[in-house]
Structures are given as C-alpha cells and as structure tokens.
Amino acid sequence: MIDTHTHLYLDNFDSDRKLVVTSAIEKGVKYMLLPNIDSSSIHPMLSLCDDFPESCFPMMGLHPTSVKDDYNKELEIVNKWLGKKKFIAVGEIGIDLYWDKSYVSQQEEAFRFQIQLGIDHDLPLVIHSRDSMDKILEILKDYSGNDIRGVFHCFTGTADQAAKIIRMGFYLGIGGVLTFKNSGLSEVLDSIDLQHILLETDAPFLAPVPFRGKRNESAYILLVAQKLAEVKKCSIEDVAKITTYNAATLFKWF
C-alpha cells in the first residue's frame, strides 16, 4: 500500500520518526510520498528520504500557505532543486483561500509557475485546493493539451467537482476525512470507480477515526482503506491493489 501524501519530516515526529516509518512499513505501507512545503522543509524531507531510500520519496514545490512577500525567491529554489535532483512530483502546490486571502494573486502566480515546472519536467502535480477547487479547475483549463496529470490532495468536494477532476485526467486523494461522520464524502465516492482514487494520510494532520484530533501517521492509511472498502462494497485487498496501481501509474516510479 502507498501513502501518497505524508509530512513525516515535520517536527511532530522528532521523538519517534524512524519508529513511525518502520511501523508503517511493517503494517504493509511500503511506500510514503513526501510533499514539500517551502525552503525550510527541504532538508528534513530529504534527510528522511536518505534514511529510508526504498520507502520514502520526495516531491518539490511551494505550498500555497507559504506564498508570502518572498515567494519569487522560494520559487527559484524550487526550480533549482528540480534541475539537480530526482523528485516524483511537483507538490504540494495550489491555492488556499481558507487561511489567508491577502496573497491570492501571488498564490495564483506561484501555482501557474509550478504547473509549468510540472510540464517542463514531465512530473505530476500534487494540488492543494482548500476552498479554491473551482478556481483551480478554471486555471487548469488553460493548460489543456499539455498532458498535465496529478492528484487533488485531500479531496472533499462535490460529485460534480469530482467528475470535472476525473475528466481532466486527475486523481482524487482520499484520506482520513472519509472516516468523519458528517463529511458527506462517502456519498460522493459511492459512484466513483476506484481507478480514480489514491490513498493518503496528510500526516500529521487529519487522522482518521478513531484517532481523529490526534497525531496522524502513515500506518493509519489502513483505516482509510478499510472505510473505502466499506463504501465501495469490496475487499480491502481490492482497495490496496487498485489504489497502489493508480499511484504507480501516476508517479511513474515502479
């Protein structure tokens, strides 16, 4: 099984990081994909990948909530790293209209810059779309014909938004929110084929029930898979097999 989105390099795991990774591997989560946040997270992210070179794989990008006055400098750092090291995706990128709307235009500029980096390096995009999904879908239309691909991380949208994402050739990243009682995500996913879904945790955030509100970790992706199997009325083995195939197809790393 693959956790396609986990921030195990953050200081939330400083006391037991290697134990957390080892525990996930022992429970069948063999691969963990690490999205970058900004220049301050690059070293800890790459250090974790060096510690677990067969299990942890890095992405490179500037998170939308890290887009501030120095965003051009941050983007140049992203650009340079993509030119000198192998990464599996451009991410985590996008637009966030939940936390801070004062840098919306800069967020869009940074997003477009990094979409082009994905095109130039033939890498998938890992997209953050909190309160901004429709805006992002409109932006992506400008790049149709460029063979862009990727995943909408932490998808919590409507059935109509899901259909638009799938038509664009993107995947839906599904995590702990699926297990939340009133998320409505089960109803949305009921009619969506597993071939369009990736599993993720977003650790240390958004832990699934019964760990909601506590620190999330990659091993908990099994709980997401179990809930998805219930929604799709199939076995957890089928969920693991199909979503793993989807991830391998998107990230082209097997």
Side-chain angles (χ1 to χ4, degrees):
M1 201 173 293
I2 302 177
D3 183 355
T4 62
H5 197 111
T6 181
H7 300 275
L8 296 178
Y9 53 81
L10 292 179
D11 57 13
N12 307 69
F13 300 98
D14 281 355
S15 65
D16 61 349
R17 181 174 291 106
K18 290 187 178 181
L19 182 63
V20 167
V21 175
T22 301
S23 174
I25 295 170
E26 290 175 348
K27 292 177 181 177
V29 187
K30 294 184 178 181
Y31 306 107
M32 286 148 272
L33 313 188
L34 310 179
N36 190 50
I37 298 172
D38 53 37
S39 59
S40 70
S41 58
I42 295 173
H43 175 71
M45 177 182 69
L46 294 180
S47 179
L48 178 56
C49 292
D50 288 341
D51 288 340
F52 294 91
E54 296 182 358
S55 296
C56 295
F57 300 86
M59 308 178 197
M60 181 50 58
L62 178 64
H63 193 287
T65 61
S66 290
V67 172
K68 306 297 181 185
D69 291 333
D70 64 345
Y71 75 100
N72 280 316
K73 179 181 177 182
E74 288 281 334
L75 289 174
E76 185 55 35
I77 292 171
V78 169
N79 189 27
K80 287 182 178 178
W81 272 104
L82 284 169
K84 66 182 181 180
K85 183 175 175 62
K86 183 178 180 180
F87 294 91
I88 59 166
V90 176
E92 176 176 353
I93 67 173
I95 296 174
D96 188 302
L97 299 181
Y98 177 81
W99 290 109
D100 183 0
K101 298 181 181 179
S102 59
Y103 288 92
V104 174
S105 62
Q106 293 91 337
Q107 283 191 39
E108 179 173 340
E109 183 179 340
F111 182 43
R112 288 182 178 276
F113 181 84
Q114 292 178 101
I115 292 173
Q116 190 60 50
L117 288 179
I119 294 169
D120 294 344
H121 292 274
D122 189 28
L123 290 172
L125 310 175
V126 175
I127 296 176
H128 175 108
S129 57
R130 191 167 188 183
D131 288 0
S132 60
M133 195 171 299
D134 290 334
K135 183 177 183 67
I136 284 176
L137 288 169
E138 283 300 312
I139 290 172
L140 290 176
K141 287 181 182 178
D142 293 341
Y143 299 88
S144 61
N146 285 280
D147 195 30
I148 58 173
R149 64 192 192 279
V151 54
F152 275 69
H153 149 63
C154 193
F155 174 80
T156 56
T158 65
D160 181 61
Q161 289 171 329
K164 291 178 180 177
I165 290 168
I166 291 167
R167 281 198 297 271
M168 286 184 171
F170 282 70
Y171 289 88
L172 310 177
I174 303 300
V177 174
L178 177 61
T179 69
F180 298 174
K181 186 176 181 180
N182 297 315
S183 71
L185 196 52
S186 293
E187 291 76 15
V188 172
L189 296 181
D190 182 59
S191 59
I192 294 173
D193 196 285
L194 282 174
Q195 68 176 326
H196 304 300
I197 294 174
L198 302 182
L199 296 181
E200 61 173 57
T201 61
D202 200 23
F205 315 107
L206 296 174
V209 173
F211 301 106
R212 186 176 183 180
K214 300 180 180 179
R215 186 188 72 172
N216 199 2
E217 55 185 77
S218 288
Y220 295 168
I221 203 168
L222 296 168
L223 296 168
V224 179
Q226 182 179 32
K227 180 62 177 180
L228 186 56
E230 293 175 10
V231 171
K232 302 306 297 178
K233 299 178 177 62
C234 66
S235 69
I236 192 171
E237 290 79 11
D238 283 343
V239 168
K241 179 180 178 180
I242 294 171
T243 58
T244 296
Y245 175 83
N246 295 343
T249 300
L250 175 61
F251 295 106
K252 296 182 178 179
W253 61 295
F254 276 138

